[in-house]
Amino acid sequence: MLVEIDEHGMISHARVRHARSPQIERGKRVGAITGIVVHQTDADTLESSLNSYRNPKANGAHFLIDKDGTIYQTAAIYQRTNHVGPLKARCLITGKCTPRDFPAKAGATAIHRIEMRKAPHERYPGNMEAIGIEMVGRARLPPGFKDPDVRANRPLEKLRAEFGIFPTPSAAQNQSLAWLVSVLESSMQIAPGEVFPHSDVSWKNPTEAQGANWNLKVPTP
C-alpha cells in the first residue's frame, strides 16, 4: 500500500502522528534508502524517549511505536539519523566470505570500516541507507540474576545493558510495525528481505527486537 510522503519525508496518514525532533536528524541522505532496522527503545515509556530526542545532538530513529500501537514519526525519512552503529559483516551470514577474509582479531570498528567500503546491496544498511523504527520496551535482568564476575562489582545499569532481556513487543506494536514496514517497502521501493532487527546488523543486545514481527497480515487501508 502506498502512502503520501511530502517533500521533507513526512508521512501523511491517519495512523501516523507527527512528533518530528530535528535534534536527531543529521542531514539529508546522499543515496537511496535500501533497508529498515527495527529497534527497541530500552525505556519504559513513550514520553521518556520523546523527551530524550529533544536533547541537543540526541540519537534516535525515524519512527517510534508506543505499546498501544500508536505510530509517531520522529524524523523525516529523507534525513539521516544515527541509529544503527557499527555494522556486522553480512557476507558471513550469506556465506560469501569467511572469518579468514578479515584481519586477525578485527574488532567492531575495523569490520565496520571494511563493510562501509562495499556497495550498499553487499552489506547491511547503515545510517545513510536505513530507516529506523523504534518500539517502546525496556530490557530487564532475569529474576535472580547474579553477575558472573563476582569480583567486578559492576553497577546495575551496566549489567542490565549487557545481560538484560528485551520484552516481546505487544500485539498492537507488532500489528503497527507490520503495517508501517509494508507501506515503507511499497512507498520507498525497498526490496523484500531488507528489514532487520538491530542486533542482526550491529553489536547490540542480542535480544533487542528479536520478538518483532513485521510479517503479519496487514489490513488495508
Side-chain angles (χ1 to χ4, degrees), residues 100-182:
R100 295 179 181 178
D101 296 314
F102 295 89
K105 299 181 180 179
T109 300
I111 292 175
H112 173 75
R113 288 173 178 165
I114 293 170
E115 291 301 293
M116 290 304 294
R117 291 197 288 266
K118 300 177 181 179
H121 68 276
E122 295 179 347
R123 56 172 170 80
Y124 289 121
N127 290 323
M128 189 60 74
E129 302 89 18
I131 293 173
I133 301 174
E134 291 267 16
M135 292 187 289
V136 176
R138 179 176 172 83
R140 285 182 165 76
L141 291 170
F145 175 85
K146 293 183 179 179
D147 190 345
D149 187 349
V150 295
R151 298 172 297 177
N153 195 29
R154 290 180 283 185
L156 180 62
E157 278 301 294
K158 190 169 184 178
L159 290 172
R160 192 184 61 77
E162 183 175 352
F163 299 104
I165 298 174
F166 277 93
T168 299
S170 70
Q173 282 180 308
N174 274 334
Q175 285 288 347
S176 291
L177 175 66
W179 178 85
L180 182 57
V181 166
S182 175

Side-chain angles (χ1 to χ4, degrees), residues 1-3 5 9-11 16 29 33 35-38 62-63 65 71 73 75 77 130-133 176-191 195:
M1 182 178 71
L2 298 177
V3 292
I5 301 174
M10 299 298 292
I11 289 178
V16 181
R29 299 181 193 269
I33 294 170
I36 298 170
V37 177
V38 182
H62 299 85
F63 296 92
I65 303 177
I71 302 170
Q73 185 170 0
I77 289 172
I131 293 173
I133 301 174
S176 291
L177 175 66
W179 178 85
L180 182 57
V181 166
S182 175
V183 299
L184 289 172
E185 286 180 330
S186 298
S187 302
M188 305 306 299
Q189 297 183 340
I190 297 171
V195 185

Side-chain angles (χ1 to χ4, degrees), residues 39-141:
H39 309 257
Q40 284 178 285
T41 60
D42 203 17
D44 282 314
T45 65
L46 170 83
E47 290 74 18
S48 61
S49 293
L50 291 177
N51 287 337
S52 72
Y53 286 3
R54 298 186 183 103
N55 294 327
K57 298 182 179 180
N59 291 327
H62 299 85
F63 296 92
L64 181 58
I65 303 177
D66 201 0
K67 293 177 181 178
D68 66 0
T70 305
I71 302 170
Y72 296 82
Q73 185 170 0
T74 48
I77 289 172
Y78 301 134
Q79 288 280 323
R80 175 176 62 88
T81 72
N82 290 342
H83 64 96
V84 178
L87 295 181
K88 292 181 179 179
R90 186 173 187 174
C91 60
L92 292 174
I93 303 301
T94 60
K96 294 183 178 180
C97 68
T98 71
R100 295 179 181 178
D101 296 314
F102 295 89
K105 299 181 180 179
T109 300
I111 292 175
H112 173 75
R113 288 173 178 165
I114 293 170
E115 291 301 293
M116 290 304 294
R117 291 197 288 266
K118 300 177 181 179
H121 68 276
E122 295 179 347
R123 56 172 170 80
Y124 289 121
N127 290 323
M128 189 60 74
E129 302 89 18
I131 293 173
I133 301 174
E134 291 267 16
M135 292 187 289
V136 176
R138 179 176 172 83
R140 285 182 165 76
L141 291 170

